[in-house]
Amino acid sequence: MATKGHLSAPVLCLILLSIQVSLGADELRLSNGTGPCSGRVEVKHEEQWGTVCDGDWTIKDAEVVCKQLQCGFAVKALNRAPFGEGTGPTWLYRVDCRGDESALWNCTHTGWGAFTCPHYFDIGVICSGFSDLRLTGGDTACSGHLKVKLEETWATVCFSHIDFKTASVICNEIECGQAVDTLKGTHFGDRHELIWQEQFHCVGNETHLAECPRNIHHTNTCSHDATVVCSGYGGYRLANGTTTCSGRVELLHGGTWGTLCDYLWDLPAANILCQHLDCGVALLIPSGRSFGEGNGSVWNGTFSCQKNGSLLRDCPVHALGHDECPAGKEARVVCSGCPGGRLVNGTTCSGIVEIRHGDTWGRLCHSHWNLQAAHVLCQQLNCGYAKSIQMEDSFVDGHGPIWRDAFHCEGTESCLWDCAQVTLGNPTCSAKEAATVTCSGLAESLRLSEGESRCDGRVEISLHSVWSRVLDDDWDIKDAHVVCRQLQCGTAEKAYYLPKSERGIGLVGLRSVQCTGNETQLMLCNTSHYHTVPTGVSEDVGVICSGSRQMRLVNGTNRCAGRVELYHYGIWGTICDDNWDLSDANVVCKQLGCGRAIEAFVSAHYGEGSGQIWLDDVNCTGAESDLWACPSRAWGQHNCQHKEDAGVLCSDFLALRLVNGNDCAGRVEVFYNGTWGSVCSNRMSQLTAATMCKHLGCGDGGGIATDFKYGRGSGPTWLDHIECTEQHSSLWQCQSDPWDPRSCDNRAEETHITCIGRKVATSPAAFAECPNSTSCSDREKLRVIGGEDECSGRVEMWHQGSWGTICDDTWDVADANVVCRQLGCGSAVSALSEAAFGEGTGPIWLEKVHCKGTELSLWDCPAKPLFGKNCDHKEDAAVNCSGVTETTASPTRADRPRRPATGSTRFSVPVILCIILGTLLCLVLAILAGQIRRARAQQRGSRLSYDPFSEAVYEEIDYNLMREKQGMTFLSVNTCTVPETSLLPENAPEDGYDDVAEAPGPRDASLSEHNEEEIIGIPEENDRNKDSWIDWTPRNRTSESERPSSPALEDTGYDDIEELGH
């Protein structure tokens, strides 16, 4: 009931409706176009037609117009009177549509006739005119009569209304490959069907038929309808593989995916498919039922694509059909998954090196190229190993840009892009200085896998394109010599059987190898072929060649600073700092491609190493190409402890910081050649500034500050013209001018940036090495969260003072096995991805982890630190472990000290009591020995009390071999070794002395009856290594060559067979 004096709601509605009817309903049309679905937008309001004016007319606004007129979808939204200037009032101005409105005037606007706009601002629209298209009545879904859909009715297109270019656009739009032909279809006669009234004039590069220009062509009938024939398929994919670059080959035919059944499928065809899918090269064609059977259609055909085909869907496929595919004929492939590298102007496996940035291929500079990177590229291309990086006369100069990227590889990476990549500041080079490589070739059938380099590890042989194991009951150094010779890896240092925990489970290619040692290839030896799955105990064999020797820097913040470590004889070890100086450090930096030495550090500046100390008394001239070419003591002979480990800082060590502001705002400085310097801002984009912010951990964006409030620098101005792209994950990968201490013309060009993010405020303790204490093992820096027990869950690692997760890119069972073993949780049951145990928080520390599965710690696996936003917590990696700790033989390579077993290992009560009682007995004996020595010392002291340093008194002490050369008590099975006491008085000054009264390190049990130089194969250096007695005084340091040497080799865990003698 309406209140008195007011109109009721129904009455008000009737009055408004009558007003609307009397004025006439609003209408919409498109004028002056090629048909009813294109033209200038006009609106009829209050019985008068007028235009629409909008300086920000978008495709969303146009979509409402096309939908309201039932003209399909919007193709283009046009401004500034594209269909001529209209007349009448400007009814609508500044229209802003969401896209789902039923009428244009329902969008937000300023009001009817609220603004009078010049008609040269009239807007226009091109609508598709139809909502769908199809080919009907043909032999396949990719051929037939062309129909377009008008509202709910299908209209026929006349043959005279299309041409071959139009057919090409149609085939592309319906994913049917390329156009093969256009044919005259059925003669219409008296058939009554809806006819499409526009003629298409496509250029051929349009993605949709609706985008083609057209003109009106009124007709009520066609002499013939248009029939289009397409090549028949829309592309390929790999299904059901373990990675995106492996699987069963499927073909998209007429909108339906089906397995490709190809009787002629071979490695060359698979190689072209891998390249077209941007998956690198084909590694192998798996046999049997690998990757399962498809549930969809089966397309019979022959893949006959050419390497230089422009699009994969343009490659011809013949004899398509729906028949069943015989067993073994389904196309399958495993691609390398490493795109972006190739060899040109040579052969398949030799030539000029080219890499791809975006869609552009370019050559590399030879000055930035090395043999280690070449090895990785050859392996990536399935071309064996690199034999040479020298330019051959047969290589023809190429064309295109010269990239200045430098790849620093260890040699075991599977892809060139997994290596550390530095481009910033690298010098330019000419086209004649392009990098080249000659690989060993496709015929190479031997490799060493799961080692620290290509020259050590498990022996594997390729038979019929399948890598297989080599087993031998009598594997010796002669056999190993042949392997090393064939691989051009120098001479054999060791032949061994792999521990049980590292033995393979695959096919066996060779068994019972008997070589004389002079053969050039392993297959020339007397062998037995066993291409079967073995039963019983299998004795896989391994080799360490002299070519496996390598060097690395550890514990620095990047690759050009850290503790020097050498890989020799299958073991990583350190270098003693005796006589360590800049000449020695220069050889290290030069060998690692890190420029020159800035500083040679001593006294374990980068932390103490563990395990073997390989070299002592290194004395380089600085001109040597390898550190091991410098004069030194023999391998493994030293008189040092790890507190004397040597380190270096090289000129190519790079760092980035912001100064005079805060952590995420300030003047940009880079550290190069041992000095902080500014960066010039010429040609610098906002994207480059954002890359710097991501590099610094200050968010994903930032801008260049122009107010120069962060002051002026005083040091060098190192770089100019830095250009980063979205593909760059760190500043070091960006292009720039070469390093120059005077890059800026003046200080006003220095770069100041402000980042949108903020670093988390941390105390100095936040970057603690360990989560809960000052010292810890790798085990304590790894955990799993969110699972049912301590052996399943999301993997988290401690780094830079916080727990963070690992990205699941390339995460597999091999990676999970290392995690499970490190946690004391047995072997991996499964490697899980996509945050299977929930999303983590905090940083994501690593991506693309590439473990072999045999590493002792996740820290030993190659991986990429995560810069930027390549991953988020939806991709956190996880594991499910068996929870049962294996007690098999230890791994072969002793990269770090062995840890005690965890998890299921338990000590019984009697054993614990024995240990306690034995320890107490040792303590008692130690105290008694000390009392006796003190008494003797006092007797001697009474005779020499006038001046303890005026005359040196020596007493030969019979030291026992101990694990470390410290005066410590340690427990063995049957004996308790009591330390000898030092002859030095307790208050004697220590500065300037080495530890004279220290025990030498242990000898490996296997070396007890042999001279070490004979075993390792190093010539004896008798004159340098003989010990002698020389008086010392407080001012004269003990000569380094006089201290007892300690050549002890640690137990490596190998089953030694035979070692290299003279």
Side-chain angles (χ1 to χ4, degrees), residues 551-884:
M551 180 166 56
R552 68 185 181 187
L553 299 180
V554 178
N555 263 16
T557 54
N558 73 27
R559 54 174 295 274
C560 289
R563 180 177 65 248
V564 184
E565 292 193 352
L566 300 178
Y567 185 71
H568 174 66
Y569 207 66
I571 303 170
W572 282 104
T574 62
I575 297 176
C576 182
D577 64 10
D578 294 342
N579 299 325
W580 187 253
D581 58 21
L582 275 178
S583 296
D584 309 320
N586 260 324
V587 175
V588 171
C589 294
K590 181 174 62 175
Q591 185 176 345
L592 291 174
C594 286
R596 62 181 182 84
I598 299 297
E599 191 160 355
F601 289 107
V602 297
S603 302
H605 178 83
Y606 290 103
E608 295 184 16
S610 60
Q612 183 65 36
I613 298 175
W614 273 128
L615 292 180
D616 191 10
D617 291 329
V618 178
N619 187 20
C620 303
T621 65
E624 295 86 353
S625 59
D626 300 306
L627 188 68
W628 39 84
C630 300
S632 70
R633 291 196 182 200
W635 286 94
Q637 291 192 2
H638 64 87
N639 51 10
C640 302
Q641 298 179 36
H642 281 295
K643 66 182 180 182
E644 302 168 76
D645 286 342
V648 300
L649 171 66
C650 303
S651 61
D652 285 359
F653 173 84
L654 303 176
L656 178 69
R657 72 180 182 184
L658 300 177
V659 297
N660 289 354
N662 55 49
D663 286 342
C664 293
R667 190 180 71 253
V668 179
E669 287 193 347
V670 293
F671 186 85
Y672 172 73
N673 201 27
T675 306
W676 286 101
S678 299
V679 169
C680 315
S681 58
N682 295 311
R683 290 213 314 256
M684 185 175 291
S685 66
Q686 298 296 330
L687 180 58
T688 299
T691 303
M692 292 180 181
C693 292
K694 286 190 288 187
H695 189 122
L696 291 165
C698 289
D700 297 329
I704 301 171
T706 57
D707 51 9
F708 303 104
K709 65 180 180 181
Y710 301 116
R712 296 187 175 186
S714 58
T717 53
W718 278 127
L719 290 169
D720 198 5
H721 299 134
I722 302 176
E723 297 180 22
C724 301
T725 68
E726 292 180 351
Q727 284 74 40
H728 293 141
S729 58
S730 82
L731 181 65
W732 314 141
Q733 298 171 1
C734 302
Q735 300 280 341
S736 74
D737 289 348
W739 295 102
D740 183 349
R742 292 179 294 277
S743 293
C744 300
D745 292 334
N746 56 71
R747 293 289 174 179
E749 296 179 2
E750 291 179 324
T751 304
H752 300 239
I753 67 171
T754 302
C755 303
I756 60 173
R758 288 289 179 269
K759 289 184 178 178
V760 178
T762 55
S763 64
F767 290 98
E769 181 97 6
C770 301
N772 300 312
S773 60
T774 57
S775 63
C776 58
S777 66
D778 285 351
R779 161 68 186 89
E780 295 168 274
K781 291 190 278 187
L782 191 71
R783 70 183 184 185
V784 288
I785 297 293
E788 297 178 356
D789 52 33
E790 71 234 1
C791 290
S792 66
R794 180 179 62 254
V795 181
E796 294 190 353
M797 60 184 291
W798 180 266
H799 180 62
Q800 289 190 354
S802 65
W803 289 103
T805 61
I806 297 173
C807 181
D808 64 10
D809 291 353
T810 73
W811 186 256
D812 58 21
V813 174
D815 308 320
N817 261 325
V818 175
V819 170
C820 293
R821 186 185 303 116
Q822 188 174 339
L823 293 172
C825 287
S827 58
V829 176
S830 58
L832 306 172
S833 58
E834 297 180 350
F837 289 98
E839 296 182 16
T841 58
I844 301 174
W845 287 127
L846 292 177
E847 67 168 333
K848 294 186 178 178
V849 179
H850 289 289
C851 299
K852 306 183 197 77
T854 58
E855 293 86 351
L856 294 176
S857 165
L858 191 65
W859 277 258
D860 296 334
C861 301
K864 291 180 66 176
L866 184 63
F867 296 102
K869 284 290 181 182
N870 295 335
C871 285
D872 56 36
H873 284 294
K874 294 186 297 185
E875 302 170 80
D876 285 344
V879 297
N880 260 327
C881 305
S882 66
V884 179

Side-chain angles (χ1 to χ4, degrees), residues 472-609:
D472 198 337
D473 296 326
D474 191 24
W475 185 250
D476 59 24
I477 201 71
K478 294 179 182 178
D479 308 324
H481 272 310
V482 177
V483 171
C484 295
R485 182 181 298 116
Q486 182 176 344
L487 293 177
Q488 293 189 355
C489 282
T491 59
E493 291 184 338
K494 191 170 190 177
Y496 64 92
Y497 294 126
L498 270 75
K500 186 177 179 181
S501 61
E502 293 189 24
R503 291 173 185 167
I505 57 173
L507 295 174
V508 176
L510 289 180
R511 191 176 179 89
S512 301
V513 179
Q514 294 182 352
C515 303
T516 63
N518 298 318
E519 295 87 349
T520 57
Q521 294 184 10
L522 193 66
M523 292 299 292
L524 298 178
C525 301
N526 186 12
T527 63
S528 299
H529 293 254
Y530 273 80
H531 206 72
T532 58
V533 178
T535 57
V537 177
S538 302
E539 297 177 289
D540 294 74
V541 298
V543 170
I544 299 174
C545 306
S546 60
S548 66
R549 197 173 297 157
Q550 56 186 300
M551 180 166 56
R552 68 185 181 187
L553 299 180
V554 178
N555 263 16
T557 54
N558 73 27
R559 54 174 295 274
C560 289
R563 180 177 65 248
V564 184
E565 292 193 352
L566 300 178
Y567 185 71
H568 174 66
Y569 207 66
I571 303 170
W572 282 104
T574 62
I575 297 176
C576 182
D577 64 10
D578 294 342
N579 299 325
W580 187 253
D581 58 21
L582 275 178
S583 296
D584 309 320
N586 260 324
V587 175
V588 171
C589 294
K590 181 174 62 175
Q591 185 176 345
L592 291 174
C594 286
R596 62 181 182 84
I598 299 297
E599 191 160 355
F601 289 107
V602 297
S603 302
H605 178 83
Y606 290 103
E608 295 184 16

